[in-house]
Amino acid sequence: MKITTIIFDLGRVLVGYGWEAYLRKLVPEPAAYEAVERAVFKSPAWVEHDKGLLGREEEIMDFVAAAPEYEKEIRAVYENLGECTWSLDYAVPWIQELKEKGYRVYALSNWPEHIYHQRGDKLDFLELMDGYFLSFQEHLIKPDEKAFLRLMEKYGIEPGEAVFLDDTRANVLAAERLGLHGILFTSQQQAREELAKLGVQ
């Protein structure tokens, strides 16, 4: 079946993402850094917040509960979490290229509301796409198959004609269980090669 549709994850695929430099700037002392890292970025709450079900203060207190002695530092870190993301030079040209070749292009991403509102121009490419699903808007996160089904139903995507690119294996496997072609993303060059094998030029 011919591929007509490309579905992208965002973080570490179309947008740079990482907390280390940001956290080191705010919390340079090693013991505090490790505690805050565990309480925020390595906490189950970090993923859960992508569902967009909690308010700002509720999210902060979720993190603080894991390291109450570092509440001040955690609040400071939360304030500008958007700095953990950055633009990737290839994102816009790649989407434009695919669109010009006639492909339908979508995004399906676990993305927290707090960072979305601090995005600046980092996600402007979303407006070039045919549609997108951000977890905080839909209250569903990958690898829950309902997230994929919601996107496909909303935009009339035929799974056998679609390719899903994500940097997390569990998400790729979930897509494949639903009949989509999956690519575990490690770099743009690698993804281009994998897409070419599926007939996407």
Side-chain angles (χ1 to χ4, degrees), residues 35 43 52-53 74 81 91 103 113-114 141 155-156 166 169 182 184:
S43 164
L53 296 174
I74 289 170
L81 284 173
Y103 294 100
E113 184 173 11
H114 183 59
I141 58 174
Y155 296 109
D166 197 297
R169 186 176 299 277
L184 182 62

Side-chain angles (χ1 to χ4, degrees), residues 13-137:
V13 177
L14 292 180
V15 181
Y17 166 68
W19 64 79
E20 292 83 358
Y22 172 67
L23 182 55
R24 191 77 63 192
K25 179 177 66 175
L26 292 177
V27 190
E29 197 276 316
Y33 176 98
E34 291 179 12
V36 174
E37 182 181 48
R38 285 195 303 271
V40 178
F41 300 102
K42 295 185 176 181
S43 164
W46 179 262
V47 176
E48 194 66 18
H49 292 176
D50 286 349
K51 292 181 181 178
L53 296 174
L54 300 179
R56 172 190 174 90
E57 187 62 21
E58 290 175 303
E59 289 189 350
I60 292 171
M61 293 312 297
D62 249 6
F63 295 138
V64 169
E69 67 275 29
Y70 291 106
E71 178 172 354
K72 180 181 177 181
E73 290 84 355
I74 289 170
R75 287 183 177 276
V77 166
Y78 184 89
E79 194 61 33
N80 292 295
L81 284 173
E83 291 188 29
C84 295
T85 64
W86 57 90
S87 300
L88 294 175
D89 291 342
Y90 63 74
V92 169
W94 197 9
I95 293 167
Q96 290 174 329
E97 176 189 338
L98 290 167
K99 292 287 294 175
E100 288 167 3
K101 291 179 178 178
Y103 294 100
R104 300 166 70 195
V105 180
Y106 299 91
L108 173 61
S109 184
N110 292 351
W111 202 266
E113 184 173 11
H114 183 59
I115 293 181
Y116 177 80
H117 290 309
Q118 296 181 356
R119 64 189 177 136
D121 60 357
K122 299 166 192 171
L123 300 179
D124 280 359
F125 57 75
L126 290 175
E127 305 311 318
L128 302 175
M129 294 181 164
D130 294 283
Y132 53 89
F133 174 114
L134 301 181
S135 60
F136 82 86
Q137 296 172 327

Side-chain angles (χ1 to χ4, degrees), residues 1-6 101-103 158-163 181 198-201:
M1 190 175 291
K2 182 181 178 181
I3 300 299
T4 63
T5 304
I6 315 296
K101 291 179 178 178
Y103 294 100
E158 176 60 45
E161 298 179 1
V163 186
H181 301 273
L198 293 170
V200 178
Q201 302 298 326

